[in-house]
Amino acid sequence: MSGRRELPLMRHSTSAHSLRNSRITIAIAVGIFLGCVFAFFFPHGFFLSNPNFHSPHLSNSIAQVVSTPCESSERLNMLKADFAAASKRNVDLKKQVKELTEKLRWAKQGKDQAEEQVVVLGEQHKAGPFGTVKSLRTNPTIIPDESVNPRLAKTLEKVAVQREIIVGLANSNVKEMLEVWFNSIKKVGIPNYLVVALDDEIANFCESNDVPVYKRDPDEGIDSVGKTGGNHAVSALKFRILREFLQLGYSVLLSDVDIVYLQNPFDYLYRDSDVESMTDGHNNLTAYGYDDVFDEPPMGWARYAHTMRIWVYNSGFFYLRATIPSIELLDRVANRLSREKAWDQAVFNEELFFPSHPGYDGLHASRRTMDFYLFMNSKVLFKTVRKDANLIKLKPVIVHVNYHPDKLPRMKAIVEFYVNGKQDALKPFPDGSDW
């Protein structure tokens, strides 16, 4: 009996001992495992007792946390700088796009030859086959500078069409002719014209007749001439005034007020030269040039000398593209007229045609003579056209009463004939003048 009792106790003791051994073994295993883990992740110990100890992972994390505010500030400054630079580049690009658009518009507006020349301007080329080579004639337009005259720039922005405008200067001395002038423009339906008023009376007169007008700022010396001067004085003044129009980037069709408009002149311009001007010539030879032979008998075999002749351009009606040569022409003429007692038309032609020679640099400007039957002077009309059954059927673009002093009655007669159909309106006038 007692033996049977001892057996369970021995079994219980053995089981308890095994359980304890198993727990110790598990604990040791767990400890070894954790030790391996800590040894792997913390090879230098769990506690950083060494002040020289440096953990790359921990250091980087701390540095990242500490430097975040500084980096954010620096990055913000960098972003601001990048934004400012991008904004500047954007402004520059817009400016370049505007300039390219303007050049493209001018290229499309010109004739085929002018288009090709503007596109290839500045490029180097090889000479083509015989008979195919053509030089460049069309200078590029300048970059507009609105700081020259902001008030005028605003006026032109409203009035001009495709950066072109008719400009007429007037004071109270030519008030009646001015009225015929702008009424003929209105009748044709030309929107882009402007009167530069040289006194208050003309400014008020234009405003009361719904005529676009610009009154210049006071300018001593210049304004005294403009207010009291006659036709020639005002004509000389225009060369200084027109400069601002060109600097603002607008091409100008300068017009004296003794002109009657019968068609829109902008429909008949070529725009392939710096200057397009009507001529004082009255036929093909005088208008477009001819070989005039000078005879000097004492020279014997060499008695005949050939000379090139052309009648002068009229300084009362010409078209200037907004180019450097055009502005240089205005500067040259205005400068000479301020120093010399000379006729502005003579100076205008001398500066335009005289070539470079010792002691003088000629103007490098391209020129075109207008069709003298379309842009007609009064000599052509009264001496030739009105007497020719075929020519009288033609309708000119403008008629400039430049050859006759009785300007106003002839202007009115031209309106009566071409506009109102009065067939005998031109007959009472002589070919020339009485004096």
Side-chain angles (χ1 to χ4, degrees), residues 175-190:
K175 184 177 178 180
E176 290 182 300
M177 285 192 293
L178 176 65
E179 186 173 14
V180 178
W181 180 83
F182 65 64
N183 281 336
S184 69
I185 291 176
K186 289 182 177 181
K187 182 72 174 179
V188 174
I190 304 169

Side-chain angles (χ1 to χ4, degrees), residues 59-131:
S59 177
N60 288 339
S61 300
I62 295 173
Q64 186 174 0
V65 173
V66 172
S67 64
T68 298
C70 295
E71 282 191 1
S72 298
S73 178
E74 291 177 1
R75 182 168 295 180
L76 181 60
N77 292 334
M78 289 176 63
L79 289 173
K80 288 182 178 179
D82 291 342
F83 179 77
S87 298
K88 187 177 184 302
R89 286 195 297 269
N90 188 36
V91 171
D92 293 339
L93 286 173
K94 286 183 178 179
K95 185 177 180 181
Q96 292 176 7
V97 170
K98 184 178 179 181
E99 293 173 6
L100 290 173
T101 302
E102 187 69 13
K103 290 180 180 179
L104 180 61
R105 186 185 67 79
W106 278 107
K108 290 181 178 179
Q109 190 179 38
K111 299 297 180 181
D112 292 341
Q113 181 181 352
E115 291 176 5
E116 296 173 0
Q117 291 170 346
V118 171
V119 171
V120 303
L121 192 64
E123 299 179 6
Q124 290 183 320
H125 301 274
K126 292 182 179 180
F130 180 82

Side-chain angles (χ1 to χ4, degrees), residues 129-171:
F130 180 82
T132 65
V133 177
K134 290 186 178 181
S135 63
L136 299 179
R137 294 171 177 82
T138 307
N139 283 302
T141 54
I142 65 169
I143 298 174
D145 182 7
E146 294 188 0
S147 64
V148 171
N149 191 331
R151 188 165 66 88
L152 178 58
K154 291 181 179 179
T155 301
L156 294 176
E157 190 174 328
K158 297 177 182 177
V159 179
V161 175
Q162 294 186 342
R163 302 191 77 82
E164 293 180 323
I165 190 166
I166 297 172
V167 176
L169 279 67
N171 60 20

Side-chain angles (χ1 to χ4, degrees), residues 26 43 55 80 87-88 92 133 160 177 198 209 216 235 274 278 290 352-353 360:
I26 293 172
S55 172
K80 288 182 178 179
S87 298
K88 187 177 184 302
D92 293 339
V133 177
M177 285 192 293
L198 301 177
N209 285 275
R216 298 176 60 254
S235 184
D274 298 303
M278 72 171 296
Y290 62 101
L352 199 52
F353 285 95
Y360 176 79

